[in-house]
Amino acid sequence: MSTNDSLARLAAVIESRKPANGGDPDKSYVSRLLHKGPDAFLKKIGEEATEVVMAAKDVDHGADKSKIVYEVADLWFHSMVALAHYGLTPADVLAELERREGTSGIEEKALRKAVARATEEGSS
């Protein structure tokens, strides 16, 4: 079983919980988040990202590494809710990671800055 399969299955469940697809906010946490709108799930992403950082700090001081895994799972889950809201999928993220594969992070960041500069100069 591949990671992509697990992510695709979870994405399908999230998609099925969208209010537009019949998801009931009274019966589903995902439906409730999506029904409340972006502020609800974006706030959760911020909270979960902070919890990942705190878990990592705890591990630096002797806590069990599984705390990081638990918090990253929450972060990924809420990020997937956001992806679904915006009509995107985990496959879109994986494709972007594959596109970056073999590219130095430093080179990739420099390229993004150069493109942004060129775009700014073109619109001024």
Side-chain angles (χ1 to χ4, degrees), residues 13-44 77-78 81-82 84-85:
V13 170
I14 292 170
E15 190 68 26
S16 75
R17 300 293 197 272
K18 284 182 170 181
N21 294 334
D24 183 347
D26 293 329
K27 295 181 181 171
S28 164
Y29 174 71
V30 171
S31 293
R32 190 173 320 132
L33 277 177
L34 291 168
H35 180 76
K36 288 180 179 179
D39 285 351
F41 56 78
L42 295 175
K43 179 180 177 189
K44 285 301 295 179
F77 172 81
H78 289 91
V81 171
H85 174 79

Side-chain angles (χ1 to χ4, degrees), residues 40 90 100:
R100 295 180 188 184

Side-chain angles (χ1 to χ4, degrees), residues 59-111:
V59 169
D60 286 342
H61 296 285
D64 186 335
K65 289 180 183 179
S66 65
K67 286 184 71 173
I68 297 173
V69 172
Y70 181 89
E71 297 302 344
V72 169
D74 284 349
L75 177 59
W76 285 14
F77 172 81
H78 289 91
S79 295
M80 288 178 65
V81 171
L83 288 171
H85 174 79
Y86 293 108
L88 299 166
T89 68
D92 296 316
V93 176
L94 293 172
E96 175 61 16
L97 290 171
E98 288 168 5
R99 183 192 69 76
R100 295 180 188 184
E101 192 173 2
T103 302
S104 154
I106 294 169
E107 290 171 8
E108 200 270 336
K109 187 172 182 180
L111 179 61

Side-chain angles (χ1 to χ4, degrees), residues 2-15 80 89-91 94:
S2 80
T3 301
N4 195 21
D5 291 342
S6 298
L7 293 174
R9 280 195 310 278
L10 178 56
V13 170
I14 292 170
E15 190 68 26
M80 288 178 65
T89 68
L94 293 172

